[in-house]
Amino acid sequence: MSDDPTPHPDVRELLDELEAGPVPPLGTLSVEGARALHRDLFAAPDEPEPVGEVRDLAIPGPAGDVPIRVYAPDGEGPFPVLVYVHGGGWVLGDIPTTDPAYRALTNAADCAVVAVEYRRAPEHPFPAPLEDCYAALRWTAEHAADIGCDPDRIAVGGDSAGGTLAAAAAQVARDRDGPSLVHQLLIYPATDRAFDTDAYEENAEGYFLTREDMRWFWDRYLESDLDAQNPYASPLRAREFADLPPATVVTAGFDPLRDDGVAYADRLEAAGVDVVHRHYERMIHGFATMLVDPDLPRAREAIADAGADLRASFER
């Protein structure tokens, strides 16, 4: 999709560092080894970006408490709120490693952010992570006043596998009669368990996330091929896209998931949903949350763009 056949120089430098470093292929690692590597690669900075307030809570979930972290901006509430789901292939990632993105979104969108520590695969395969995320949406709507938020201005969002969960949670909220959402922020989501798109062919390896990585993730998230047909696992397979909230869909040119996001944006738009598709041609998967040591400039641009889209929906 890009006229320039090479990643941005800032990204090329990062890829060269990863290639030169002792970063083994994901498929050669155990789940715990992959999680440890991910924590090392995405350790939060010693001096995090300031926000108004941060609170750790636990809320009731379908199989016990679900930890959440609530970020609030400076100022007086009630604030609009974004329920945000971290990435990591449904297997990796957690609140601490995604903390810089939560803080950046809080400030960019001038909203509260509810970060969800959902149960992860393979210990808890589909639909457990999704049910935790939907439980967090419902709790946020029911207890918005308790955390200084506005129950009429709730959005859902996520990056990568978190974008998949956010898209699915928006479908679940529609299908289960609530809560009502004003926006969905889907940052390079995996919307279908299929590996036959042009993006998977063009970006199969060499650009941080590989096609084999995605096979590894999907194999741990789903227990059967039948699950892959479920639209709550593969949101692109939904029969109906109408009555979903306005969306921002972020894609990157050098990402095997690029065409997943493009196809999902197209299906939403065809169903009459307001869609902003933001494509960053020379970026790779994961770029939008690369906010430390040092910040990737286009990551800040993507966060600012997402914040502007969220504010526009919150103000409608």
Side-chain angles (χ1 to χ4, degrees), residues 97 119 125 149 239 246:
T97 53
R119 289 170 292 164
C149 294
R239 294 182 179 180

Side-chain angles (χ1 to χ4, degrees), residues 3-268:
D3 293 333
D4 192 314
T6 61
H8 189 279
D10 293 341
V11 168
R12 182 72 266 168
E13 182 178 355
L14 170 66
L15 293 173
D16 290 343
E17 290 176 0
L18 290 172
E19 187 174 341
V23 181
L26 190 62
T28 67
L29 299 173
S30 67
V31 167
E32 285 307 318
R35 287 172 179 165
L37 176 62
H38 187 271
R39 287 193 296 269
D40 289 343
L41 288 175
F42 295 99
D46 292 334
E47 297 184 9
E49 180 177 338
V51 296
E53 183 183 19
V54 179
R55 285 188 282 172
D56 287 315
L57 302 171
I59 64 173
D65 285 349
V66 176
I68 64 170
R69 181 173 293 174
V70 181
Y71 299 77
D74 287 324
E76 295 293 328
F79 301 108
V81 57
L82 169 67
V83 177
Y84 194 88
V85 188
H86 69 76
W90 309 284
V91 176
L92 317 177
D94 52 26
I95 288 175
T97 53
T98 318
D99 179 77
Y102 301 136
R103 292 172 177 273
L105 282 165
T106 298
N107 291 329
D110 194 27
C111 73
V113 170
V114 172
V116 186
E117 194 77 277
Y118 56 88
R119 289 170 292 164
R120 296 178 299 185
E123 298 91 339
H124 305 283
F126 172 82
L130 174 59
E131 293 296 344
D132 284 355
C133 296
Y134 179 62
L137 272 180
R138 289 191 61 89
W139 182 91
T140 300
E142 293 166 2
H143 297 270
D146 298 335
I147 55 173
C149 294
D150 182 350
D152 295 323
R153 292 187 293 165
I154 299 174
V156 67
D159 60 280
S160 192
T164 311
L165 291 169
Q171 292 187 16
V172 173
R174 175 197 62 187
D175 298 344
R176 297 184 189 174
D177 297 322
S180 179
L181 305 175
V182 300
H183 202 82
Q184 53 182 324
L185 171 62
L186 312 179
I187 302 177
Y188 30 73
T191 60
D192 192 10
R193 197 207 66 170
F195 309 99
D196 57 358
T197 65
D198 290 345
Y200 266 113
E201 183 66 28
E202 295 165 9
N203 305 311
E205 59 184 24
Y207 301 112
F208 183 56
L209 179 71
T210 70
R211 179 166 55 195
E212 290 309 307
D213 290 344
M214 285 307 304
R215 292 187 189 276
W216 191 89
F217 286 132
W218 278 111
D219 286 349
R220 280 145 188 82
Y221 182 46
L222 304 182
E223 293 188 290
S224 70
D225 290 340
L226 184 61
D227 283 340
Q229 307 300 319
N230 190 318
Y232 293 159
S234 297
L236 189 61
R237 301 195 183 203
R239 294 182 179 180
E240 182 58 66
F241 288 81
D243 301 319
L244 289 170
T248 295
V249 180
V250 173
T251 55
F254 292 89
D255 181 359
L257 302 186
R258 180 194 69 212
D259 294 349
D260 284 39
V262 172
Y264 202 72
D266 288 346
R267 291 293 298 275
L268 289 170

